[in-house]
């Protein structure tokens, strides 16, 4: 027994119509019959007239002045001749809205000229899908950086002159500052060969001066990938990447870092499985994301780097009372050389510390250190040179302060060990802190302050640390 509610009656009618509509009964009639019972009680009967089953007739598309018909049609789960499913009308509307190509989407059905069929009518209103952004960004790692971003989310490489309407994703970005120079060009075709198979490629140049005081690193290369959905919330991604990596060690550094100096050709193949049930990729309140991957460089792929990497990351969100959000994060990575003495180049090794993991420590300041002289004249730098096994875990609780500002409290822990597949916790580092999450026009900015609680060595404890960075969740 429950209180009578006209709203619940309407919900029942909607549910019944969806049930019959999903089975082809497009004209189902549901009439509630409310009858007085004993006392203040009522009985509710639903009189259902299913009607005849229908099939899908024509799929009519209007209003797409820029987008090709195929870009819209491939998002429609109904095909002419199939059993009509009224639930698929809502699915079609949601998919087209998620493309973010249109200001308005209307999906309706109507009687067809063929008996026993229903036509599907789609009316869209195009909107601008290209953007140019420029300005300045900043973080506690690479300082102030000027940037230019050019993006077209409804790109068509074959439509010379306009370059729009094909449903491809094109982006070009340039970032330049005192500590970095980045250029990236990418193109993604989400329906390769007319199938739900994404084909993407990118070219890039990265001059990274902020990684260490002991060396600079430059990456020039490109990648190509295929991504295939697995069910509704998961996908598998395979990628081939070819890049030239130059490590330029400082002339007055130790022998440990001088040994890393050189130019390398890295040829690598990776495979990732990703499951993502989050309700948002900007401010997730519930759901989880898991990413498991393996990468092989060298061997039959050629190049100067022979190594493999096994990694896993996971994030889980809970929406609690008063719109507080509890987030648990974790990750592990193992890297090892294929053959040889087990030592891999410094750009393959693992580091922790900074805004993205152990926030109570300086950037990349957790891991094995250069403390042993390699020759009588060698002076160790006491700097971190990276390890082969890493583990990280974090708990964070955020809470609303204003509509665009959330507060945060968090705890981080993790370690980096020198040997592959070594997950002993003897080098554990941990911290706790507070922060703000700001929804600004330039993007979601995070500001954190954390203090170390436990440290693997004296050099890593430099007191409380401020971190600020653009907090994209993608």
């Amino acid at each position: 027994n429950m209180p009578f509610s006209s709203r619940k009656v309407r919900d029942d009618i909607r549910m019944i119509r969806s049930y019959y509509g999903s089975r082809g009964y497009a004209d189902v009639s549901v009439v509630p019959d409310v009858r007085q019972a004993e006392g203040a009680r009522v009985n509710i009967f639903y009189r259902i007239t299913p009607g005849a089953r229908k099939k899908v007739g024509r799929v009519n598309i209007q209003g797409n002045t820029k987008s090709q018909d195929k870009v819209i049609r491939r998002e429609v789960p109904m095909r002419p001749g199939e059993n009509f499913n009224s639930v698929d009308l809502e699915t079609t509307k949601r998919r087209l809205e998620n493309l973010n190509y249109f200001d308005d989407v209307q999906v309706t059905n109507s009687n067809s000229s063929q008996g026993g069929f229903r036509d599907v009518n789609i009316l869209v209103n195009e909107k601008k899908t290209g953007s140019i952004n420029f300005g300045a960004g900043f973080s506690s790692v690479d300082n102030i950086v000027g940037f230019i971003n050019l993006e077209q989310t409804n790109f068509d490489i074959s439509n010379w002159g306009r370059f729009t309407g094909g449903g491809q994703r094109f982006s070009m970005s340039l970032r330049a500052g005192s500590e970095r120079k980045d250029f990236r060009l990418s193109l993604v075709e989400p329906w390769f060969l007319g199938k739900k198979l994404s084909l993407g490629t990118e070219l890039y140049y990265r001059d990274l001066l902020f990684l260490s005081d002991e060396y600079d690193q430059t990456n020039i290369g490109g990648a190509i990938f295929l991504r295939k959905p697995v069910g509704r919330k998961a996908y598998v991604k395979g990628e081939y990447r070819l890049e030239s990596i130059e490590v330029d060690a400082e002339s007055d550094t130790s022998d440990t870092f001088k040994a890393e100096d050189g130019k390398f050709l890295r040829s690598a193949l990776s495979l990732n499985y990703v499951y993502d049930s989050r309700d948002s990729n900007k401010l997730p309140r519930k759901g989880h994301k898991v990413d498991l991957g393996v990468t092989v460089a060298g061997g039959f792929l050629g190049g100067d780097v022979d190594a493999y990497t096994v990694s896993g990351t996971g994030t889980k969100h809970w929406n609690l009372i008063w719109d507080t959000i509890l987030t648990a994060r974790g990750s592990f990575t193992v890297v090892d050389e294929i053959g040889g003495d087990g030592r891999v180049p410094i750009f393959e090794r693992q580091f922790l510390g900074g805004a993205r993991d152990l926030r109570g420590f300086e950037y990349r300041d957790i891991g094995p250190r250069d403390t042993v002289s390699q020759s009588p004249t060698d002076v160790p730098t006491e700097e971190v040179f990276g390890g082969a096994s890493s583990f990280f875990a974090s708990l964070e609780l955020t809470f609303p302060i204003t509509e665009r500002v959330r507060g945060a409290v968090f705890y981080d822990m993790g370690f980096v060990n020198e040997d592959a597949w070594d997950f002993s916790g003897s080098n554990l580092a941990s911290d706790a802190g507070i922060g703000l999450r700001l929804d600004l026009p330039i993007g979601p900015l995070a500001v954190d302050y954390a203090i170390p609680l436990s440290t693997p060595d004296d050099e890593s404890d430099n007191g409380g640390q401020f971190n600020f960075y653009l907090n994209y969740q993608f």
Side-chain angles (χ1 to χ4, degrees):
N1 297 329
M2 61 180 63
F4 175 81
S5 167
S6 58
R7 178 179 177 182
K8 290 181 180 178
V9 171
R10 290 194 299 270
D11 290 342
D12 287 345
I13 294 173
R14 189 180 301 111
M15 179 186 65
I16 294 170
R17 284 176 174 169
S18 295
Y19 175 83
Y20 279 88
S22 66
R23 287 155 176 78
Y25 298 98
D27 299 320
V28 59
S29 172
V30 183
V31 178
D33 184 2
V34 182
R35 299 182 182 181
Q36 187 73 31
E38 295 181 4
R41 296 184 179 182
V42 295
N43 293 325
I44 306 174
F45 300 88
Y46 294 98
R47 304 191 181 279
I48 303 170
T49 306
R53 282 190 173 183
K54 305 291 184 180
K55 291 185 178 296
V56 179
R58 295 173 57 87
V59 178
N60 303 310
I61 300 173
Q62 293 180 302
N64 52 321
T65 56
K66 293 188 298 183
S67 301
Q68 299 175 27
D69 271 13
K70 69 177 184 180
V71 173
I72 298 174
R73 201 173 296 277
R74 66 197 184 191
E75 300 295 335
V76 182
M78 297 175 284
R79 297 290 180 267
E82 295 180 350
N83 289 330
F84 183 85
N85 186 339
S86 62
V87 176
D88 284 342
L89 298 177
E90 285 299 318
T91 301
T92 300
K93 178 178 174 66
R94 185 173 62 253
R95 287 182 179 179
L96 292 176
E97 289 174 339
N98 288 342
L99 289 176
N100 205 26
Y101 297 165
F102 312 110
D103 280 323
D104 184 50
V105 177
Q106 297 180 31
V107 182
T108 59
N109 71 94
S110 61
N111 289 321
S112 174
S113 58
Q114 299 174 272
F117 285 77
R118 276 296 177 93
D119 290 342
V120 177
N121 305 305
I122 301 173
L123 177 62
V124 297
N125 184 25
E126 301 267 13
K127 72 177 183 180
K128 291 183 179 180
T129 53
S131 63
I132 300 178
N133 299 312
F134 58 90
F138 56 95
S139 79
S140 52
V141 173
D142 47 16
N143 299 323
I144 297 178
V145 178
F147 66 87
I148 300 175
N149 292 332
L150 172 63
E151 186 174 31
Q152 173 56 260
T153 60
N154 192 8
F155 188 73
D156 186 355
I157 195 171
S158 63
N159 185 7
W160 292 89
R162 294 182 65 184
F163 292 105
T164 58
Q168 300 161 357
R169 271 75 165 169
F170 171 83
S171 69
M172 181 177 67
S173 64
L174 173 65
R175 284 168 169 74
S178 60
E179 295 294 322
R180 73 185 303 162
K181 295 178 180 66
D182 285 2
F183 174 77
R184 180 177 179 268
L185 189 69
S186 72
L187 177 66
V188 178
E189 169 55 74
W191 285 79
F192 182 54
L193 300 177
K195 301 180 182 298
K196 192 64 175 175
L197 179 68
S198 295
L199 172 67
T201 183
E202 70 168 341
L203 299 173
Y204 57 88
Y205 169 88
R206 298 183 181 125
D207 198 6
L208 309 174
L209 309 181
F210 59 84
L211 296 179
S212 172
D213 293 335
E214 308 305 322
Y215 69 94
D216 298 330
Q217 182 176 314
T218 301
N219 294 42
I220 305 173
I224 185 170
F225 72 82
L226 283 171
R227 185 173 63 198
K228 173 67 176 174
V230 181
R232 294 177 54 200
K233 299 179 180 180
Y235 64 84
V236 176
K237 178 181 177 183
E239 178 186 86
Y240 173 71
R241 186 174 297 271
L242 181 66
E243 58 185 336
S244 171
I245 303 176
E246 184 175 2
V247 178
D248 183 13
E250 299 293 330
S251 58
D252 58 349
T253 191
S254 67
D255 290 350
T256 297
F257 284 99
K258 285 180 181 178
E260 303 293 338
D261 191 273
K263 196 169 185 178
F264 305 83
L265 181 65
R266 183 178 184 270
S267 176
L269 192 64
S270 63
L271 182 66
N272 287 74
Y273 170 80
V274 179
Y275 180 89
D276 190 353
S277 65
R278 298 174 301 168
D279 61 337
S280 169
N281 57 13
K282 293 184 178 180
L283 181 60
R285 286 178 163 82
K286 60 182 179 180
H288 61 276
K289 181 178 181 180
V290 177
D291 186 342
L292 303 174
V294 60
T295 300
V296 176
F300 69 94
L301 298 170
D304 305 319
V305 181
D306 295 289
Y308 72 88
T309 303
V310 178
S311 64
T313 63
T315 307
K316 174 71 174 176
H317 307 276
W318 295 270
N319 196 194
L320 307 177
I321 189 173
W322 300 316
D323 195 29
T324 57
I325 304 171
L326 178 64
T327 299
R329 292 188 294 144
S331 67
F332 76 91
T333 304
V334 175
V335 59
D336 200 3
E337 188 180 24
I338 300 175
D341 59 4
R343 185 173 176 83
V344 296
I346 196 166
F347 50 80
E348 295 280 347
R349 297 205 289 271
Q350 301 300 302
F351 302 78
L352 287 176
R356 300 296 179 179
D357 39 70
L358 294 176
R359 287 166 279 189
F361 301 88
E362 293 183 353
Y363 180 62
R364 288 163 60 103
D365 202 35
I366 296 297
R369 292 185 180 273
D370 171 28
T371 58
V372 180
S373 297
Q374 305 298 317
S375 67
T377 59
D378 181 34
V379 179
T381 62
E382 303 290 336
E383 295 296 320
V384 174
F385 61 81
S389 300
S390 71
F391 170 80
F392 164 74
S394 173
L395 276 177
E396 178 172 291
L397 183 71
T398 68
F399 49 90
I401 298 177
T402 68
E403 183 179 355
R404 293 184 172 272
V405 180
R406 297 182 67 88
V409 293
F410 56 84
Y411 170 80
D412 308 321
M413 61 178 288
F415 58 79
V416 181
N417 292 332
E418 186 167 1
D419 297 329
W421 301 104
D422 178 7
F423 289 102
S424 64
S426 57
N427 295 317
L428 185 69
S430 63
D431 64 66
I434 59 175
L436 293 173
R437 307 291 176 260
L438 312 173
D439 184 11
L440 302 179
I442 63 172
L445 182 69
V447 181
D448 291 325
Y449 177 77
I451 56 174
L453 298 180
S454 62
T455 58
D457 51 62
D458 293 337
E459 286 77 12
S460 61
D461 188 352
N462 294 294
Q465 299 292 315
F466 274 106
N467 289 287
F468 44 94
Y469 52 96
L470 289 175
N471 189 35
Y472 288 106
Q473 301 282 338
F474 303 107

